[in-house]
Structure formats: structure tokens, C-alpha cells
Amino acid sequence: MTKPFLQIDGKPIPYTAGQTIMEAATAAGIYIPHLCHNPEFEPHGSCKLCTVKVNGRNCSACTFPAADGQDVLNDTAELNELRRTVTQLLFVEGNHLCPSCEKSGNCQLQAAAYFLGMVDAHFPFFYPARELDGSHPDILLDRDRCIFCELCVRASRDVDGKNVFAIGGRGIDSRLIVNSPSGKLADTPIAATDKAARVCPVGAILVKRRGFEVPIGERLYDRHTLAEESLEREEPIVESRHD
């Protein structure tokens, strides 16, 4: 039986029933920028970096189901400008000090900025006052770098079965919550081997005594673009773009 097809930027892409646009694109070697999406978890659609146009309508590629005959626009100047703006806003609403961050070179937010051709923050920095939690013997929680992707929330709940993290508040008042009576990470059952301790795409959750084991210049995104890393596990590598 012939597979149904959708079109992404004019290219016919086969898909199987139940796949999202993101999954169909990835299987075809087409990169759609994203931060909160992780194929190990149910799609979430919170970062909006994967916004595409489907038959003229903006949709999140990670959650929107693929359908026969869809006309999807992904790699356009309008959408990449929108993605740059979202990335810039993520930088200014937190405290992301890349040169001194242990995650530099392994950070998906930093890699997204490079991939999208972001050259400055554009907007005034918020400099929010966020609590750093070093209470756990093996894990550091630096809320300054949190982008509220909720990957740690999903990993702790769905994989580790511990429900250590949650998101509280709304908008600029959003915050990463630790589910313990004291609100401290030391008073939770989280372990350095847990998925939640290792899934963070930025530098908000770090395992202690592992800093700079891989030197700057030899890290993941020093060697590969974000697109390459996202696709090479299943499909041929594609090149990054800079508008």
C-alpha cells in the first residue's frame, strides 16, 4: 500500500499514520528547529521554535499530526525570523552567560542561536532574580538558565517515576519548582543517574564534579550543527542555514 504524502517546502514527504509533522520531517532528513521536543517523550509544544505554516496556518510541528496533502512551509525567511525572535527572548528573560557556562558547546539554546544566525539579543535583558540550589550532593540546579521546556518535569514523572520537578507561575513569573517540603533538591529522591538529571538541553541541571571533562572546542555543537545532531541518529546530515 502506498504511503500518503505531505509537502514540506514543496518537497513530497511520505509519512505513516500517527506521525506528527516533526516526525515525518525528521524521518525524511529535514530539520525543523526545536528546543522542548525530545523523541523520547510525548510532544509538548511549549517552546514554539518548531512553528511551521500548514496550509497557511501557524502550527507546532512537534504536536500537529501529518495529513495527506498538507502544504507545510518550514524554511522561510518569515519563520526563521520568528524563531530568531523566540530565541532572543529566551536569552533575555533568563541569565545565560555562555562564556562561563559549563554547558557551552553542549547547549541546545546556544546551538539554536548559531543555527538561526542570531548575532545579538536585540531586546533589553530582564536580569531576573532566580534561586540557585546547590543543596544536593551530586546535582546543581541553576534556575538562571532554565528555559521552561519541561523536559526535566516529564523525565522525572514519566521515566524516573519520582515527580521531582514542576513549573509554577505564569509568563515572566514562571519558575521551576522542586517538589519537596523544603523546596530544596537535597530533600528529593533524585539521583545523578536519573533521566531528569541529564535531559536538560541547557545548563539548568548539571551533575556535579563533571565540569569541563570535555574541553571547549571538542563538545557536541563545536563539532556538529544543531541540525546535524538532531538528524544524524536516523537520517543523513543536513547543513545549517544563516539568513
Side-chain angles (χ1 to χ4, degrees):
M1 183 176 178
T2 304
K3 282 188 176 182
F5 282 80
L6 55 85
Q7 285 200 6
I8 300 181
D9 295 329
K11 180 181 178 180
I13 303 297
Y15 69 93
T16 56
Q19 279 189 320
T20 63
I21 291 173
M22 176 76 77
E23 290 167 337
T26 301
I30 295 174
Y31 175 64
I32 299 176
H34 57 272
L35 286 172
C36 73
H37 175 69
N38 184 313
E40 297 182 50
F41 303 98
E42 287 293 319
H44 196 255
S46 61
C47 75
K48 302 306 178 189
L49 209 66
C50 72
T51 296
V52 294
K53 278 192 179 293
V54 182
N55 299 334
R57 171 189 171 192
N58 283 358
C59 302
S60 296
C62 68
T63 59
F64 204 79
D68 195 28
Q70 281 175 336
D71 183 15
V72 179
L73 295 179
N74 168 46
D75 190 7
T76 70
E78 177 189 358
L79 287 169
N80 285 319
E81 179 62 31
L82 172 65
R83 291 163 179 158
R84 268 193 297 273
T85 300
V86 170
T87 304
Q88 287 168 325
L89 288 170
L90 287 171
F91 269 94
V92 303
E93 65 86 33
N95 296 307
H96 299 280
L97 307 175
C98 295
S100 61
C101 180
E102 201 286 322
K103 195 78 169 185
S104 183
N106 287 327
C107 173
Q108 288 185 31
L109 178 63
Q110 183 189 54
Y114 281 121
F115 181 85
L116 294 166
M118 178 183 145
V119 295
D120 59 34
H122 183 72
F123 303 102
F125 285 90
F126 290 10
Y127 298 114
R130 294 181 180 170
E131 182 184 3
L132 187 147
D133 184 350
S135 63
H136 195 282
D138 299 316
I139 302 167
L140 175 70
L141 175 60
D142 187 347
R143 291 179 174 89
D144 277 337
R145 298 163 182 167
C146 180
I147 59 172
F148 305 107
C149 65
E150 298 196 33
L151 282 170
C152 63
V153 177
R154 289 177 276 167
S156 184
R157 180 190 64 215
D158 301 337
V159 178
D160 304 329
K162 297 180 179 180
N163 201 31
V164 169
F165 298 106
I167 303 294
R170 294 174 62 86
I172 193 60
D173 295 321
S174 296
R175 61 196 184 281
L176 182 62
I177 293 173
V178 172
N179 290 321
S180 71
S182 67
K184 297 293 186 182
L185 207 57
D187 297 323
T188 72
I190 191 172
T193 53
D194 286 355
K195 186 71 174 179
R198 298 172 180 271
V199 76
C200 181
V202 291
I205 302 174
L206 297 172
V207 176
K208 293 181 178 179
R209 296 176 296 280
R210 298 288 302 274
F212 298 97
E213 284 187 341
V214 178
I216 298 293
E218 299 178 17
R219 297 181 173 200
L220 180 60
Y221 300 119
D222 296 327
R223 296 179 289 106
H224 302 287
T225 68
L226 187 59
E228 290 170 345
E229 186 276 329
S230 295
L231 294 174
E232 69 180 357
R233 287 169 293 182
E234 301 179 43
E235 298 296 328
I237 288 174
V238 300
E239 297 299 323
S240 66
R241 64 173 287 114
H242 297 281
D243 292 325

